[in-house]
Amino acid sequence: MTAEQRRSAVTYGQESAAVSEHRACRWLGVHRAPVRYVATPRRDDGPLRERLQQLAGDHPRWGVPLLTWQLRREGWDDNHKRLERVYRNAGFAVRNRVRGGGGARVVPVCGLPGDRHQPKRLIAITETGDRHQPKYAPAAAARSVQG
């Protein structure tokens, strides 16, 4: 049974038996709060969405907190949760920066088997893969200093 059906059943019970809302709800086993609830119509999100789109285009690295701050400075009196909902439903998101991969790093390595006469050897380590699952490929580094 939907809330609207409950409201109409309570109203019918009140009118037919000439009893109070409290008693009609008690007879039907319905709480009074949903019967008394009056829904408020939602405001149009169009102007807010357009302004968010303009701000997101001007400042692509700004997230919801900075956009909320800017809109409040401009006179928008909307809840931060509403702004976040409109932002998310409009499909905006902060773009992640693509960071450059690091090339080869030269690392001194000690204690490898057969290093009795050469205590330190240079090995170049090349990073591949993404930043969450890096893969390392060791390669022998060429020494530039001749001795």
Side-chain angles (χ1 to χ4, degrees):
M1 189 188 262
T2 65
E4 190 59 41
Q5 290 172 339
R6 288 189 197 111
R7 283 187 205 103
S8 61
V10 169
T11 305
Y12 177 77
Q14 277 183 277
E15 292 171 356
S16 63
V19 294
S20 67
E21 178 186 275
H22 177 75
R23 186 154 299 189
C25 287
R26 192 171 175 191
W27 283 347
L28 294 172
V30 176
H31 292 283
R32 284 185 290 165
V35 172
R36 292 183 176 186
Y37 177 75
V38 178
T40 56
R42 268 197 172 176
R43 290 184 291 169
D44 183 27
D45 291 340
L48 179 62
R49 185 179 297 116
E50 289 174 9
R51 184 61 188 137
L52 275 172
Q53 188 171 9
Q54 288 173 353
L55 284 174
D58 294 343
H59 308 282
R61 296 294 304 163
W62 283 13
V64 176
L66 280 175
L67 291 172
T68 303
W69 169 77
Q70 181 64 32
L71 288 171
R72 291 238 172 99
R73 288 184 70 203
E74 294 176 3
W76 293 82
D77 192 27
D78 286 312
N79 192 331
H80 69 93
K81 292 178 277 189
R82 180 171 186 256
L83 292 173
E84 189 169 347
R85 176 180 53 81
V86 171
Y87 185 82
R88 186 177 55 243
N89 290 343
F92 301 128
V94 175
R95 290 178 219 88
N96 290 328
R97 287 185 192 162
V98 177
R99 303 216 180 234
R105 290 185 294 161
V106 178
V107 181
V109 178
C110 298
L112 293 175
D115 277 349
R116 193 177 308 157
H117 303 293
Q118 286 184 325
K120 281 196 172 182
R121 215 170 15 163
L122 294 178
I123 293 182
I125 296 179
T126 316
E127 289 186 20
T128 58
D130 60 358
R131 67 182 178 133
H132 301 292
Q133 293 181 343
K135 296 174 183 159
Y136 301 103
R143 290 183 182 250
S144 60
V145 180
Q146 295 180 355

